[in-house]
């Protein structure tokens, strides 16, 4: 079992926020799997994100269920390389719907007892505060305790597929108004477990900008007045790599072109999208390793308590073991889930080949 602030995660394997955690049916399957230790929802906005026909995914596999997702993902043409590219954005469902679904699953009498990580995003501090307060209301209803919580919050700072809205995680100082909301809501209830989903970084100054911003969030412990308490309990590293391109001949088309539409030369309608799976694995490992090392060596007791959830190319048991060796305390996957369905977690857990 891994403990991240007030969450107990066992086994230490979860899904990351993705298109295959969009609706109640998918969340139920993830929740009921004995091979997942927690469930992450697809990233929600307050009122739902309106997706267009160009928000899509391409990949090398054929096991995607929903037509919209089929148009948003493509998988690379390879039996041995589990790589995908996608152009999907945030969930079309509003946060309120996810809260209703989580409530149903947590109250099911015959279901397991495992936590949900509710992934959210907003560019407006007032809206983010309302979303956090709505989640807190559900936590109070569910009677979360300091000893164990079943609901956490992940702020997604890293989707590369939103037009005219580059990932805020690449400009961390601009996140300060949102991070201030996280700090203020945490100060009201220090049992709240909060994390950040981060984009892939490629040079040291980017990592340092994150750490400097988090240091500025630390609060003085009410009891001693000296020990800083950090509102951030985990980093999810890493989201997809934007501005990536696969041509149609490199990928398996999951759907035929719409009638009357000429076939695109690209794997997904937008051409450019977020790269995931095996092609991202080395960079994701580097991000997990770098953050883990910085946090251990920070000389700051609160930063040392931040956990890293390793995501990116976790497509096998060996890949999961590499993530843990790099410093991840919990491992997450999405691309393999899109390819194999819920069986992905048995594969990563080493239960099936």
């Amino acid at each position: 079992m891994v403990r991240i602030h007030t969450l107990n995660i066992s086994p230490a394997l979860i899904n990351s926020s993705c298109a295959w955690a969009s609706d109640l049916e998918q969340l139920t399957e993830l929740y009921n799997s004995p091979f997942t230790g927690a469930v992450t929802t697809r990233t929600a906005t307050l009122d739902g994100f309106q997706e267009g026909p160009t928000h899509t995914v391409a990949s090398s596999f054929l096991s995607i269920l929903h037509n919209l997702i089929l148009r948003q993902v493509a998988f690379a043409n390879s039996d041995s390389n589990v790589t995908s590219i996608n152009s999907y954005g945030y969930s079309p469902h509003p946060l309120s719907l996810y809260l209703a679904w989580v409530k149903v699953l947590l109250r099911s009498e015959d279901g397991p007892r495992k936590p949900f990580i509710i992934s959210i995003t907003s560019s407006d501090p007032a809206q983010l505060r309302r979303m956090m307060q709505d989640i807190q209301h559900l936590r109070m209803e569910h009677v979360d305790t300091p000893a164990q919580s079943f609901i956490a919050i992940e702020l997604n700072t890293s989707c590369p597929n939103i037009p005219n809205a580059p990932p805020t995680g690449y400009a961390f100082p601009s996140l300060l108004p949102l991070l201030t909301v996280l700090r203020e809501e945490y100060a009201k209830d220090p049992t709240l477990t909060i994390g950040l989903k981060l984009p892939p970084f490629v040079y040291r100054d980017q990592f340092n900008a994150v750490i400097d911003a988090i240091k500025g969030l630390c609060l003085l412990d009410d009891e001693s007045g000296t020990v800083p308490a950090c509102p951030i309990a985990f980093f999810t590293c890493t989201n997809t790599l934007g501005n990536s391109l696969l041509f149609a001949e490199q990928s398996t088309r999951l759907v035929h072109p719409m009638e009357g539409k000429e076939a695109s030369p690209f794997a997904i309608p937008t051409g450019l999208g977020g790269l995931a799976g095996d092609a991202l694995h080395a960079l994701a490992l580097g991000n997990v390793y770098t953050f883990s090392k910085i946090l251990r060596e920070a000389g700051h007791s609160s930063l040392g308590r931040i956990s890293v959830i390793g995501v990116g190319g976790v497509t096998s048991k060996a890949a999961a073991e590499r993530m843990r060796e790099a410093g991840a305390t919990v491992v997450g996957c999405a691309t393999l889930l899109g390819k194999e369905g819920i069986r992905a977690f048995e594969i990563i857990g080493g239960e099936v080949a």
Side-chain angles (χ1 to χ4, degrees):
M1 182 187 77
V2 170
R3 186 167 177 86
I4 299 180
H5 194 42
T6 56
L7 292 191
N8 293 332
I9 301 177
S10 179
L13 177 60
I14 67 174
N15 68 295
S16 60
S17 58
C18 64
W20 302 286
S22 291
D23 59 32
L24 178 58
E25 180 181 354
Q26 293 168 332
L27 294 174
T28 300
E29 198 170 26
L30 289 164
Y31 187 66
N32 288 333
S33 170
F35 301 100
T36 61
V39 176
T40 308
T41 67
R42 185 175 178 183
T43 301
T45 58
L46 182 63
D47 299 314
F49 179 74
Q50 298 305 309
E51 292 191 307
T54 59
H55 290 108
T56 66
V57 187
S59 58
S60 313
F61 346 101
L62 297 173
S63 59
I64 304 183
L65 303 177
H66 299 285
N67 284 339
L68 182 58
I69 301 306
L70 288 171
R71 297 189 187 283
Q72 294 177 327
V73 182
F75 296 93
N77 278 329
S78 173
D79 293 332
S80 60
N81 186 317
V82 186
T83 289
S84 69
I85 187 170
N86 77 75
S87 63
Y88 62 78
Y90 305 124
S91 176
H93 303 305
L95 175 63
S96 59
L97 202 48
Y98 283 102
L99 297 183
W101 290 338
V102 168
K103 182 176 180 179
V104 166
L105 290 171
L106 287 176
R107 290 189 172 181
S108 58
E109 294 182 0
D110 55 349
R113 296 284 289 171
K114 66 179 68 171
F116 278 89
I117 299 172
I118 300 177
S119 185
I120 60 174
T121 196
S122 177
S123 59
D124 176 53
Q127 191 177 78
L128 177 62
R129 190 182 304 279
R130 177 181 166 187
M131 295 172 79
M132 294 188 70
Q133 290 172 349
D134 288 348
I135 294 170
Q136 280 289 71
H137 181 70
L138 178 59
R139 288 186 69 226
M140 296 306 102
E141 275 191 27
H142 192 66
V143 198
D144 273 9
T145 68
Q148 186 173 9
S149 177
F150 290 91
I151 299 170
I153 295 173
E154 174 189 82
L155 177 63
N156 189 341
T157 70
S158 50
C159 182
N161 297 330
I162 309 302
N164 304 312
T168 52
Y170 284 125
F172 235 75
S174 71
L175 270 175
L176 183 59
L178 300 178
L179 296 177
T180 299
V181 172
L182 300 185
R183 180 179 63 186
E184 291 172 352
E185 293 304 311
Y186 174 82
K188 296 175 187 175
D189 179 7
T191 69
L192 180 59
T193 299
I194 303 171
L196 300 176
K197 187 169 188 180
L198 300 172
F201 297 127
V202 296
Y203 58 91
R204 186 59 177 245
D205 286 356
Q206 293 176 310
F207 295 94
N208 290 340
V210 175
I211 298 301
D212 289 344
I214 300 306
K215 283 181 182 177
L217 295 182
C218 291
L219 306 162
L220 292 181
D221 185 275
D222 287 339
E223 294 181 7
S224 67
T226 57
V227 179
C230 183
I232 304 302
F234 65 90
F235 294 153
T236 303
C237 302
T238 172
N239 208 332
T240 58
L241 180 62
N243 205 53
S244 299
L245 180 71
L246 284 180
F247 285 93
E249 64 266 25
Q250 295 176 277
S251 68
T252 299
R253 287 189 181 275
L254 302 179
V255 291
H256 295 295
M258 288 188 251
E259 189 174 346
K261 294 280 186 180
E262 190 174 328
S264 169
F266 306 116
I268 52 176
T270 54
L272 299 174
L275 186 69
D278 287 339
L280 184 65
H281 190 52
L283 182 57
L285 286 173
N287 274 245
V288 168
Y289 175 80
T290 301
F291 270 122
S292 298
K293 189 171 186 293
I294 292 173
L295 292 169
R296 283 196 312 269
E297 298 174 353
H300 195 294
S301 59
S302 290
L303 293 183
R305 290 194 288 266
I306 296 175
S307 297
V308 177
I309 298 177
V311 178
V314 180
T315 59
S316 65
K317 181 180 179 182
E321 289 171 349
R322 287 191 291 270
M323 274 292 184
R324 295 186 182 102
E325 189 173 350
T329 55
V330 173
V331 174
C333 86
T335 292
L336 192 67
L337 175 60
K339 179 190 177 217
E340 297 287 347
I342 202 68
R343 179 175 174 270
F345 299 98
E346 296 181 62
I347 295 171
I348 295 170
E351 300 297 324
V352 296

